Amino acid sequence: MGGFFAPDPPPPPSAPPPPPVPAAPDPEIAAAQARQDTIDRNRRGLLGTIATSENGVLLPPPTGGAKTLLGE
């Protein structure tokens, strides 16, 4: 069983060293990457917003007994 006085608790673990600070990116490289991202985003345009796969657009509707729309 325990004694009258509790033993000293172990010392807390030491804090880990801080992570290394990454080098600052070159402003020219960052600007070129930003321009390329803008060009890519503009290139996608309206087609990037369409979430229908080619199965829903190119294939004819299924002709089975299964309902495909609510209310059919």
Side-chain angles (χ1 to χ4, degrees):
M1 296 265 203
F4 187 69
F5 294 106
D8 290 336
S14 62
V21 178
D26 187 17
E28 292 179 12
I29 294 174
Q33 182 64 38
R35 282 192 302 273
Q36 188 62 41
D37 291 343
T38 303
I39 290 170
D40 291 342
R41 188 172 44 253
N42 290 339
R43 199 175 281 159
R44 283 191 300 265
L46 183 63
L47 293 177
T49 63
I50 299 173
T52 306
S53 69
E54 55 273 352
N55 292 339
V57 176
L58 301 177
L59 297 178
T63 57
K67 294 182 180 180
T68 58
L69 298 174
L70 183 63
E72 282 186 353

